[in-house]
């Protein structure tokens, strides 16, 4: 009996000491978000095909949060309400003016200025601006750190921005100005007021950027478990011998088969150990791009965009004082958790960090959310694909209203569609097309966008659904404006010369309801790389493979009209207006860039007259001819996006039992079998 009591007392004391040690010296910190709301999401959004990369995010991990209140600053007396006058933004929302550069500047500040001027918030007038931005260059001499700014007013409603360490930032009299700095220290950063930026390499691209490197469900055989960031900028892989201390020189090191990586090579490992010193912050983005889970060892800098990004879903914070326990915990981490962290790291890299333009636009979007208050992006839109930059709060702040969150929210788009028929400059009233579409089972309304020089006819055919005539501006992009008259989620985009049967419309809409984030169309084009011309081409000659569907007959979500109007650079929209075939390409570029998925083709009856694409650069019959400048839009758009977003596919969805020898009464789409 005495022996049993001694054992029980010994076990209780041991458990108490263990709990105390874990509380005082935590090994891995995967902190919970500050706020959670009820209602678990239904799995990871389908931003990638399941065959390419399965999703391992657990339900309940990416939840919708309300707007966060201002936090008390750690340093200084400025916070959102005291040093920023939001009333200047209420009239037209956030308007941003950037001070022009004085004297020669380096490449990175030039990219910053270009990104700000290309954003939808930019204004050329300082008087109407809500936020004024001063970009500091690392090349500015210390004696020129106090430029004369007539609108300075003690720094109120100003943002001092520096993507790289600048001497001026240390001696500049900030006053009431916000600071957007790369890897700020925790003792100087003011949460809710300043913005923490990533530390970017000098050669970081202006737009687009390299894609993430994660391609497999699990690490390949022979891939190291851990890579350690080195001071010279490279990476060193370490083995799994836990007698090694990869960041402590006092113990024997097990370097593994490949010790050193070139400076330009990304780490090839599952976990990337990154010391907490500020110069090591550059390794953080390299790990994200490589799909290597960052393990931050007691970081002493603020993580980038920590105000909106939940880094507990993509990175691990560990205690550098317990190296052996950290290594053991990483090796024992469940594979599903590892893959969820790697996926989130890849998403964050692609959405916010892969280019200077995305970094700058994310900074402006954070400030816009502060100004918007209750109408700001919820946490779910920031932390799940495609991200807040592509989920505009001007359209909605509810994830269920966007096409790419229906699956995650367990919701479905409305079961009706609006037909938008565009009548061009030389078009005629599409009377036969109106009758065919009006007879569709799920048609809610027909909108005729009249852009012809001729006046519309005084009378239109009687239909079972409402018919409205809209006045166009005779531009090719008119068809993609967010018209308030559109009352449904789904849009059937048509040209006046399109020819469809009622059964074709019914089946295509049924397909779109299963894939509301994609474009579903009848006629297709495909893009290809033309070695002889050294550029991209597109053609309609390839029947089996395609990457675009013609918007002259296609279903898509109405949100893409808002995205087309408010997110695309003006230069690309002008290009599309000057060359009408470019509008088809531009809309396909936009949807592919958002979803990372190809469109879907549905059958188009052979009795219709095939709509051929225009003479395009690189098509087989034009390769011997000079390339027309007006038709080179695909290369100009690829340059405008910074990469080629189109994804090729060979998938075509057909109704079942079309040609099977069964009773005609069993066939749902019998009219599609017309001779």
């Amino acid at each position: 009996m005495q022996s049993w009591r001694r054992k029980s007392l010994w076990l209780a004391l041991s458990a108490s000491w263990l709990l105390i040690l874990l509380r005082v010296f935590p090994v891995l910190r995967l902190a919970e978000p500050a706020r959670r709301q009820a209602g678990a999401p239904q799995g990871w959004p389908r931003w990638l095909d399941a065959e390419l990369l399965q999703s391992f995010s657990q339900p309940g991990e990416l939840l919708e949060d309300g707007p966060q209140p201002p936090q008390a600053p750690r340093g200084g007396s400025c916070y959102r309400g005291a040093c920023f006058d939001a009333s200047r933004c209420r009239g037209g929302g956030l308007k941003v003016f950037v001070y022009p550069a004085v004297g020669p500047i380096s490449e990175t500040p030039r990219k910053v200025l270009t990104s700000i001027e290309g954003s939808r918030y930019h204004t050329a007038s300082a008087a109407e601006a809500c936020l004024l931005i001063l970009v500091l260059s690392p090349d500015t001499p210390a004696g020129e750190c106090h430029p004369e700014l007539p609108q300075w007013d003690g720094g109120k409603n100003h943002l001092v921005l520096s993507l790289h360490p600048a001497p001026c930032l240390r001696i500049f009299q900030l006053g009431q100005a916000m600071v957007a700095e790369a890897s700020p220290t925790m003792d100087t950063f003011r949460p809710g007021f300043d913005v923490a930026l990533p530390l970017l390499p000098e050669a970081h691209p202006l737009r687009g950027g390299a894609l993430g490197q994660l391609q497999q469900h699990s690490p390949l055989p022979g891939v190291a478990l851990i890579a350690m960031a080195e001071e010279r900028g490279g990476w060193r892989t370490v083995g799994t011998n836990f007698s090694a201390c990869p960041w402590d020189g006092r113990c024997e090191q097990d370097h593994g088969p490949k010790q050193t990586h070139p400076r330009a090579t990304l780490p090839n490992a599952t976990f990337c150990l990154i010391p907490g010193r500020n110069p090591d912050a550059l390794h953080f983005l390299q790990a994200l791009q490589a799909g290597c889970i960052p393990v931050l060892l007691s970081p002493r800098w603020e993580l980038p965009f920590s105000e909106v990004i939940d880094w507990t879903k993509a990175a691990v914070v560990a205690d550098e004082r317990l190296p052996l326990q950290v290594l053991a915990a990483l090796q024992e981490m469940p594979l599903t958790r590892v893959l969820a962290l790697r996926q989130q790291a890849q998403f964050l890299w692609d959405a916010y960090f892969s280019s200077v333009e995305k970094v700058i636009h994310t900074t402006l979007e954070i400030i816009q959310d502060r100004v918007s208050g209750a109408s700001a992006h919820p946490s779910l839109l920031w932390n799940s694909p495609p991200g807040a930059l592509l989920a505009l709060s001007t359209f909605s702040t509810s994830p269920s209203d966007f096409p790419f969150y229906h699956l995650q929210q367990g919701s479905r788009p409305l079961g009706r569609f609006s037909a938008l028929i565009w009548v061009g400059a030389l078009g005629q009233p599409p009377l036969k097309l109106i009758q065919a579409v009006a007879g569709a089972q799920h048609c809610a309304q027909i909108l005729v966008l009249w852009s012809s020089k001729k006046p519309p006819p005084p009378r239109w055919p009687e239909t079972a659904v409402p018919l409205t005539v809209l006045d166009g501006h005779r531009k090719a992009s008119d068809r993609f404006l967010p018209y308030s008259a559109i009352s449904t989620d789904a849009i059937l985009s048509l040209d006046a010369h399109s020819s469809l049967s009622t059964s074709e419309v019914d089946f295509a809409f049924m397909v779109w309801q299963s894939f509301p984030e994609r474009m579903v169309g009848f006629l297709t084009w495909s893009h290809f790389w033309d070695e002889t011309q050294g550029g991209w081409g597109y053609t309609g000659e390839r029947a089996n493979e395609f990457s675009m569907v013609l918007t002259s007959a296609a279903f898509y979500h109405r949100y893409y009209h808002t995205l087309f109007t408010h997110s695309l650079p003006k230069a690309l929209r002008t290009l599309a207006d000057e060359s009408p075939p470019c509008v088809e390409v531009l809309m396909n570029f936009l949807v592919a860039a958002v979803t990372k998925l190809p469109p879907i083709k549905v059958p188009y009856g052979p009795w219709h007259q095939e709509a051929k694409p225009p003479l395009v650069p690189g098509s087989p019959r034009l390769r011997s001819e000079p390339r027309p400048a007006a038709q080179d839009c695909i290369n100009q758009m690829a340059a405008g996006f910074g990469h080629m977003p189109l994804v090729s596919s060979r998938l075509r969805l057909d109704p079942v039992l079309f040609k099977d020898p069964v009773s005609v009464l069993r066939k749902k789409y019998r009219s599609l079998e017309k001779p």
Side-chain angles (χ1 to χ4, degrees):
M1 188 69 176
Q2 295 295 332
S3 175
W4 179 83
R5 289 181 178 177
R6 285 196 298 271
K7 290 182 178 179
S8 300
L9 181 60
W10 182 83
L11 290 174
L13 290 174
S14 300
S16 300
W17 278 108
L18 180 60
L19 290 174
I20 292 173
L21 288 174
L22 289 176
R23 185 175 183 84
V24 176
F25 300 107
V27 178
L28 299 179
R29 178 165 57 88
L30 292 172
E32 294 296 324
R35 297 178 59 188
R36 287 185 174 239
Q37 292 185 354
Q42 306 297 318
W44 194 270
R46 292 180 299 173
W47 72 297
L48 290 173
D49 281 335
E51 296 178 358
L52 175 63
L53 182 63
Q54 187 179 352
S55 294
F56 285 90
S57 177
Q58 298 297 323
E61 290 192 348
L62 292 172
L63 300 179
E64 179 179 351
D65 293 337
Q68 298 295 329
Q71 305 177 47
R74 281 195 287 266
S77 59
C78 269
Y79 57 93
R80 218 177 299 174
C83 298
F84 188 87
D85 184 8
S87 63
R88 295 175 56 178
C89 312
R90 291 173 183 168
L94 181 67
K95 294 293 183 182
V96 173
F97 172 81
V98 58
Y99 290 105
V102 178
I105 59 173
S106 59
E107 184 64 22
T108 299
R110 185 177 294 106
K111 293 178 182 178
V112 172
L113 294 175
T114 302
S115 300
I116 297 174
E117 293 169 356
S119 74
R120 67 179 185 275
Y121 298 122
H122 178 257
T123 177
S125 172
E128 67 178 23
C130 164
L131 178 70
L132 297 95
I133 300 180
L134 174 64
V135 179
L136 294 184
S137 173
D139 304 326
T140 303
E144 302 177 8
C145 290
H146 299 278
E148 296 182 1
L149 305 175
Q151 295 87 9
W152 180 247
D153 190 24
K156 199 162 191 175
N157 283 59
H158 275 70
L159 175 68
V160 179
L161 190 149
S162 176
L163 272 181
H164 293 97
C168 287
L169 196 58
R170 301 303 170 211
I171 62 177
F172 193 81
Q173 299 299 322
L174 296 174
Q176 296 180 323
M178 295 183 290
V179 176
E181 180 186 3
S183 302
T185 58
M186 290 185 174
D187 57 342
T188 61
F189 181 75
R190 298 167 292 182
F193 188 70
D194 292 339
V195 180
L197 302 181
L199 183 59
L200 301 180
E202 291 287 347
H204 210 57
L206 170 61
R207 57 176 59 94
L211 299 177
Q213 301 298 308
L214 180 60
Q215 297 292 336
Q216 301 293 329
H217 290 190
S218 59
L220 294 174
V223 172
L225 175 68
I226 296 172
M228 177 62 192
E230 292 188 318
E231 293 183 1
R232 294 172 297 175
W235 294 87
R236 183 182 77 245
T237 57
V238 297
T240 57
N241 180 4
F242 290 169
S243 65
C245 301
W247 61 90
D248 189 347
R250 293 175 299 175
C251 55
E252 181 183 359
Q253 296 188 8
D254 175 17
H255 295 303
K258 295 182 180 180
Q259 300 179 14
T260 305
H261 297 272
R263 181 181 297 270
T265 302
L266 297 176
N268 188 20
T270 303
F271 296 98
C272 286
L273 299 183
I274 304 174
R277 302 179 300 271
N278 281 53
D280 295 298
L282 186 61
H283 292 94
F284 185 66
L285 288 191
Q286 294 177 354
L288 292 180
Q289 182 182 359
C292 183
I293 301 171
V295 181
L296 304 169
L297 304 175
S298 303
R300 298 184 253 302
W301 75 86
E302 189 75 18
L303 294 184
F305 305 137
S306 54
E307 181 177 339
V308 294
I309 293 180
D310 184 0
W311 284 110
T312 66
K313 302 299 183 291
V316 175
V317 177
D319 194 330
E320 63 182 353
R321 297 170 294 180
L322 302 173
L324 301 182
Q325 291 88 330
V326 170
L327 293 175
L330 295 179
Q331 188 182 41
E332 296 172 1
M333 183 177 291
L335 182 59
T336 54
R337 182 61 176 164
V338 170
L339 295 180
L341 289 169
R342 296 183 74 188
Q343 285 183 350
Q344 188 70 357
Q346 292 285 267
F347 153 63
L348 294 175
W349 162 261
D350 179 68
Y352 306 119
F353 301 109
S354 60
S355 68
V356 174
E357 187 177 71
K358 290 180 180 178
V359 170
I360 298 303
H361 289 185
T362 302
T363 303
L364 298 180
E365 203 69 31
I366 290 174
I367 299 175
Q368 167 63 34
D369 274 8
R370 295 176 184 175
V371 173
S372 300
S375 59
H377 289 97
S379 178
L380 177 63
L381 299 188
W382 278 105
N383 292 281
S384 58
L389 297 185
L390 295 174
L392 303 183
S393 58
T394 54
F395 177 78
S396 176
T397 57
S398 174
S400 59
D401 291 335
F402 293 90
F404 25 81
Y405 292 121
H406 283 303
L407 178 67
Q408 187 172 356
Q409 295 291 304
S411 61
R412 292 180 62 87
L414 297 176
R416 309 274 285 175
F417 71 85
S418 300
L420 181 62
I421 305 176
W422 182 65
V423 181
L426 301 177
Q428 298 293 329
L431 304 182
K432 186 177 180 181
L433 179 62
I434 290 175
Q435 293 289 355
V437 174
Q441 181 180 358
H442 301 285
C443 182
Q445 60 178 162
I446 296 177
L447 305 173
V448 178
L449 181 58
W450 193 266
S451 297
S452 176
K453 299 178 181 179
K454 303 177 182 178
R459 297 185 59 184
W460 293 87
E462 294 184 2
T463 58
V465 296
L467 188 149
T468 305
V469 180
L470 304 176
D471 186 19
H473 302 288
R474 299 179 184 176
K475 291 184 179 180
S477 59
D478 283 356
R479 64 194 309 168
F480 298 135
L481 295 178
Y483 296 103
S484 58
I486 300 175
S487 61
T488 61
D489 290 334
I491 294 177
L492 173 58
S493 176
L494 297 167
D495 280 354
H497 59 76
S498 301
S499 178
L500 290 175
S501 68
T502 303
S503 294
E504 287 171 328
V505 173
D506 284 335
F507 175 69
F509 179 68
M510 184 189 70
V511 171
W512 178 87
Q513 285 183 300
S514 299
F515 305 94
E517 73 278 18
R518 303 205 205 185
M519 298 180 69
V520 176
F522 298 87
L523 299 175
T524 60
W525 292 348
S526 61
H527 76 288
F528 58 90
W529 179 259
D530 190 344
E531 293 287 351
T532 60
Q533 299 289 344
W536 295 101
Y538 63 105
T539 178
E541 301 297 331
R542 302 180 182 183
N544 294 330
E545 186 174 274
F546 62 91
S547 56
M548 295 178 278
V549 295
L550 274 65
T551 56
S552 57
F555 278 99
Y556 52 81
H557 198 281
R558 68 185 178 94
Y559 171 65
Y560 293 124
H561 279 202
T562 300
L563 203 60
F564 186 97
T565 303
H566 297 292
S567 72
L568 287 176
K570 294 181 180 178
L572 290 182
R573 292 186 56 191
T574 302
L575 172 65
D577 287 333
E578 293 175 352
S579 179
C582 293
V583 177
E584 307 273 3
V585 180
L586 185 55
M587 177 55 86
N588 279 273
F589 264 61
L590 177 64
V591 178
V594 173
T595 63
K596 312 292 190 299
L597 295 170
I600 295 177
K601 177 178 173 59
V602 290
Y604 189 61
W607 55 90
H608 297 308
Q609 181 181 0
E610 289 289 342
K612 296 293 183 182
L615 299 182
V616 294
S619 61
R621 50 185 174 171
L622 284 182
R623 287 182 180 175
S624 59
E625 300 178 8
R627 178 178 301 184
Q631 295 292 350
D632 194 26
C633 58
I634 188 169
N635 288 294
Q636 297 182 55
M637 290 180 183
F641 276 79
H643 68 290
M644 171 51 71
L646 297 177
V647 182
S648 297
S649 175
R650 294 183 178 180
L651 173 67
R652 190 182 90 161
L653 297 183
D654 290 278
V656 181
L657 302 178
F658 269 25
K659 299 296 182 180
D660 292 350
V662 297
S663 170
V664 175
L665 298 178
R666 291 175 56 189
K667 298 182 179 183
K668 187 174 181 180
Y669 298 96
R670 296 186 293 273
S671 61
L672 291 188
E673 296 188 14
K674 291 181 179 179

